[in-house]
Amino acid sequence: MVNTLTLFQRIVRQESPYDSELVSAATRKKLQKSIDKAVGIILKTQIVTDGQLTVWCQQHDRETFLPAPARSYELPSYCSSESVGLTKFLMSLDNPSKEVKKAVHSAMRWFDTYKITGYRVVRTASRDGIRDTRLIEDTTAGPLWGRFYDLDYCEPYVCDRDGLPRRSLSQIGEERRNGYSWYNNNPASLYRMYGEWADKNDPAGKVELHPDGPGANETGLITLMRQPAVDPSIYDAVVRRGESIQKAIDAAPSDASAEHPYKIFIRKGIYNEKVIIDKPGIMLVGEKRDSCIIVGAENAVTLMKRSYNGRPVRQGIVYLTENASDCILSGLTVINNYGTTVNPTTAHQMAVFGLATRTIILNSNIISDGNDALSLWAKADGMYYHADLYVRCAGVDMICPRGTCYATRCSFYGDTRAILWHDGRGSIDNKFVVTNSRFDGRQPTPLGRYHHDSQFYIINCTLTENIIDNNIEHAYAHRKPAKPGEEKTADTLSQQPADPCPWGERIYYYGCHRIGGDSGWLKDNLQQADGAPAFHGITAAWTFQGKWDPESRIRSLWKYLAY
C-alpha cells in the first residue's frame, strides 16, 4: 500500500516523470482524495494498547480495523517492518495534521521502547547447501527489532506454516527459519529522519529517543525467547508420580470429542505401565517431554496386558484402540525397551500403536528397541499428524503409518534398517508427508521402503552422511526370484511380489540435502507428482484434502499443549 501511495504522491506533486501533460489536473485531484482516504485508514488502524498509540499490524480487518491474520505464519501482531514504511509515509506528508503528528510520535516511541540490543542475526550455509539462521548474543551489535511482536506480551515471536507462535528460531523448520526475515534493523533508519521531521513540524511534541540505549530485553520490559508454561489446574485430571495414567483414562467420560476433549496432565516421573486408550477425545499432556516417561517391555508374544475391559489388546506401550479417535499425545517420552531388558531382538516392539484415526502426537520422544516404533494402523483411511518428535528405533520401519500422515520438524535416528514405511492402500490419495525434518543413523541406514502402494513427499529435509545414498524403494527390490523347485527364503522371492503396487512408484522430494551429497535421486521432482504442487503448498491442509484440520485444532488447544 505504501508503494502505491508514494506513487500517487509523486504524481500529485508533479515530480518527474509526472510533471508533463501525462497526468491531468482532474486525475491528480482524484489521487489526492485517495491519499487522504488512505491516511484516514492508517490513523484508524494504528494499534491502541492501554490507551496509547503504538504501531501497526501487517494487515488489518477491513470492517473493525483490528489486527488480522494473513498467511498462516503472519498472525495478528505489532509488526515492526511494515510499520516503518507507514511511519515514513506519514512523515512525508505536507502540513501534517495533529493526528498525523501524534501517530508519528507514538510510533517512534514504540520503536525505541521495543528495540532489542545485544544480539545479531547470523546466516550460514554449508558446502552441502544446508542453511541456518540464528540469533546470537553480540554486545557490539546495533539494535534489532522482531518482525512480529505478540499482542499479549509485546515480545518477538517466529512462526512456522502451522500458525503456532514460537520464541526461538530453532523451534521452527528450516524452510521458514531461513526463508523469512524474522529480525531486522529497518526502524533504525527512522531515527535521523524523525529528528529532522519533528524539529520542523512539531518540536514541542518531539519524543526523546535513545538509539544507543538498552533495548527492552535488557531493561526487563520483555523476555526474549519466553517459553510457554501451562497451568495444571485448567486440566480435567492430573496424574502425579506414583499414580496411574490408566486410572485417569478409565475415569474419563466416554463421550469426549475433538470439540470437547478430556484433558489429562501428567507430572514429571517414570510411569512403568502399558497405557490403553479406548475412548475418543483423550488428551495426554506431559509436564516435560524428557522427564515424563512411560516405559515398558513387550513384543507380540509377551504383552504386558492381554485384555482390557474384557477385550483382547494388541502391542504398544501406548495403545490406541479403534475407539480412540481424535486423541492427542504431547510432552511425553514413550519407550519399549524389550530388546535391551528382556531379549536382544529387534522383532516388533511398538512404543505407540494405534487403530484409531485423527491421531495427533506432538513434542514427544518415541523410542523402541525393535521394529515399528510408531505404528498407526487405522483400518480404513487413517489420518495422523506429528510435529516435533524424536523417534529412535533399533529396528526397521520406525514410523510406519497406514493411510495418510503428515509429520513436521521431526528427528529420526535409525540403525542400519529403513526408517520410513508407508501403506497407502485403499485410496490413491493416501500419502506420507515429511517436512522440515532430519534423518540420521548410528550406522549406514536406508531412508525408507514400502511393501504396498504408497506415496511419499519429503520436503525441506536434511539427511546426514549416515543415511545411505539410495532412494526409498520396494522392500523386495533386491531379492532374487526363487529358482524352480528352490525353497523360498528371506533372500529369495517368487517371480511376482506379494503386492505389485499398481499405482507405481510415487516418491517426491523438494529442498532436501544429504550431507556428503547424493547420486541424483534426491533432486527436486515435485513437478512429477499429481497436480505438480508447489513446495509451499504441501501443508497439512493439502495433505488431508479438507477432511481434517489438525493444525486448527492444535491452535485452539494451545494453552494446554504449549511447548
Side-chain angles (χ1 to χ4, degrees):
M1 184 179 75
V2 169
N3 290 337
T4 301
L5 290 173
T6 300
L7 174 62
F8 287 1
Q9 199 175 56
R10 290 183 61 196
I11 295 172
V12 168
R13 291 174 176 171
Q14 296 182 270
E15 297 178 5
S16 178
Y18 311 107
D19 53 352
S20 65
E21 295 180 356
L22 180 66
V23 181
S24 67
T27 298
R28 288 196 295 272
K29 187 175 181 179
K30 289 180 180 179
L31 293 179
Q32 183 60 59
K33 286 183 178 181
S34 296
I35 293 172
D36 294 341
K37 287 181 179 179
V39 170
I41 294 297
I42 292 170
L43 297 177
K44 284 182 179 180
T45 53
Q46 193 168 11
I47 302 170
V48 178
T49 303
D50 296 330
Q52 300 295 318
L53 289 171
T54 60
V55 286
W56 294 265
C57 184
Q58 185 157 308
Q59 51 280 317
H60 289 259
D61 186 273
R62 61 182 294 176
E63 302 294 337
T64 67
F65 305 117
L66 295 175
R71 290 177 285 189
S72 60
Y73 47 88
E74 296 170 346
L75 309 180
S77 60
Y78 305 97
C79 181
S80 69
S81 185
E82 274 69 13
S83 293
V84 168
L86 290 172
T87 304
K88 282 183 177 180
F89 175 72
L90 291 179
M91 284 195 287
S92 73
L93 297 175
D94 299 323
N95 304 314
S97 65
K98 63 179 182 180
E99 290 80 11
V100 168
K101 294 174 185 177
K102 185 177 180 180
V104 172
H105 293 317
S106 299
M108 290 305 303
R109 182 183 292 108
W110 188 93
F111 284 127
D112 195 52
T113 301
Y114 288 98
K115 63 181 180 290
I116 301 165
T117 50
Y119 286 86
R120 64 185 174 92
V121 176
V122 175
R123 295 182 180 270
T124 58
S126 72
R127 287 183 298 177
D128 297 293
I130 298 171
R131 299 183 297 155
D132 196 19
T133 304
R134 293 177 295 150
L135 188 66
I136 66 169
E137 294 187 40
D138 183 353
T139 57
T140 67
L144 282 175
W145 286 262
R147 181 163 189 158
F148 301 121
Y149 290 70
D150 68 78
L151 297 177
D152 293 322
Y153 299 103
C154 201
E155 293 174 348
Y157 71 86
V158 296
C159 196
D160 220 326
R161 292 185 183 272
D162 56 10
L164 296 171
R166 301 307 183 96
R167 301 301 174 177
S168 170
L169 285 167
S170 64
Q171 295 174 328
I172 62 175
E174 175 186 325
E175 186 265 326
R176 281 297 81 193
R177 184 166 69 246
N178 300 312
Y180 202 68
S181 177
W182 294 107
Y183 294 90
N184 65 86
N185 62 358
N186 296 338
S189 65
L190 295 175
Y191 279 84
R192 180 176 178 180
M193 186 184 304
Y194 170 73
E196 296 173 354
W197 176 89
D199 289 341
K200 175 183 177 182
N201 293 285
D202 190 17
K206 185 177 181 180
V207 175
E208 184 178 354
L209 304 179
H210 305 279
D212 298 319
N217 58 304
E218 294 191 290
T219 63
L221 181 62
I222 65 172
T223 300
L224 272 187
M225 303 179 211
R226 177 194 298 268
Q227 295 307 303
V230 297
D231 177 5
S233 69
I234 66 176
Y235 293 81
D236 298 303
V238 177
V239 179
R240 297 169 180 82
R241 186 179 305 181
E243 297 178 344
S244 168
I245 298 171
Q246 188 66 59
K247 186 175 180 180
I249 295 171
D250 293 345
S254 59
D255 60 350
S257 64
E259 294 74 24
H260 302 287
Y262 188 79
K263 301 169 287 294
I264 300 173
F265 185 75
I266 305 172
R267 289 288 193 183
K268 289 185 287 187
I270 298 176
Y271 298 85
N272 291 281
E273 60 178 312
K274 180 181 177 80
V275 174
I276 300 170
I277 305 176
D278 193 34
K279 301 173 181 178
I282 299 295
M283 283 176 55
L284 296 184
V285 182
E287 182 176 7
K288 189 174 182 181
R289 68 185 277 177
D290 294 330
S291 50
C292 191
I293 303 169
I294 304 172
V295 60
E298 68 171 25
N299 67 1
V301 177
T302 61
L303 295 177
M304 295 172 67
K305 288 183 181 179
R306 295 192 173 275
S307 65
Y308 176 76
N309 288 341
R311 298 175 60 196
V313 301
R314 297 181 64 171
Q315 286 196 66
I317 304 307
V318 174
Y319 168 48
L320 297 93
T321 76
E322 62 272 14
N323 298 322
S325 294
D326 298 306
C327 288
I328 300 177
L329 309 179
S330 181
L332 301 169
T333 291
V334 184
I335 303 173
N336 188 340
N337 58 13
Y338 180 86
T340 53
T341 62
V342 180
N343 184 13
T345 176
T346 59
H348 282 155
Q349 296 169 47
M350 282 79 160
V352 177
F353 179 76
L355 297 174
T357 190
R358 298 185 300 277
T359 302
I360 295 174
I361 305 179
L362 310 168
N363 181 35
S364 293
N365 305 311
I366 311 296
I367 299 170
S368 172
D369 289 340
N371 305 341
D372 297 35
L374 177 52
S375 305
L376 299 182
W377 293 353
K379 292 181 180 179
D381 297 326
M383 295 184 290
Y384 326 108
Y385 180 91
H386 305 312
D388 304 296
L389 301 185
Y390 171 73
V391 186
R392 190 179 80 221
C393 179
V396 71
D397 306 336
M398 66 166 60
I399 178 168
C400 47
R402 288 179 168 169
T404 294
C405 180
Y406 181 90
T408 188
R409 298 187 306 272
C410 295
S411 179
F412 303 100
Y413 190 78
D415 189 357
T416 75
R417 303 178 72 187
I419 293 173
L420 301 178
W421 183 91
H422 179 233
D423 180 353
R425 291 174 297 176
S427 172
I428 197 170
D429 295 322
N430 285 341
K431 56 183 72 72
F432 187 7
V433 177
V434 184
T435 73
N436 289 291
S437 295
R438 180 179 175 85
F439 296 89
D440 195 6
R442 191 175 70 86
Q443 304 176 69
T445 299
L447 177 60
R449 66 175 193 160
Y450 58 93
H451 290 77
H452 312 290
D453 268 310
S454 58
Q455 186 173 195
F456 295 89
Y457 289 82
I458 315 298
I459 310 298
N460 292 312
C461 290
T462 297
L463 288 62
T464 74
E465 65 275 13
N466 281 336
I467 300 302
I468 294 172
D469 182 15
N470 194 59
N471 199 3
I472 296 170
E473 59 185 9
H474 197 288
Y476 303 146
H478 299 293
R479 291 187 180 181
K480 300 176 181 179
K483 296 178 181 179
E486 180 184 9
E487 182 182 354
K488 288 183 288 184
T489 69
D491 296 320
T492 64
L493 190 68
S494 64
Q495 293 290 340
Q496 192 69 20
D499 188 337
C501 303
W503 291 327
E505 181 180 281
R506 297 178 297 164
I507 305 168
Y508 308 111
Y509 299 96
Y510 181 87
C512 294
H513 302 278
R514 178 182 178 273
I515 296 172
D518 67 89
S519 55
W521 58 275
L522 202 55
K523 67 181 180 180
D524 297 348
N525 66 340
L526 278 181
Q527 71 279 3
Q528 298 175 13
D530 186 30
F535 81 91
H536 54 79
I538 297 180
T539 62
W542 174 85
T543 299
F544 299 110
Q545 298 185 312
K547 299 176 184 177
W548 184 41
D549 188 354
E551 291 178 342
S552 176
R553 187 174 182 218
I554 294 166
R555 288 192 293 271
S556 72
L557 295 168
W558 192 239
K559 68 177 180 179
Y560 304 101
L561 298 168
Y563 58 89

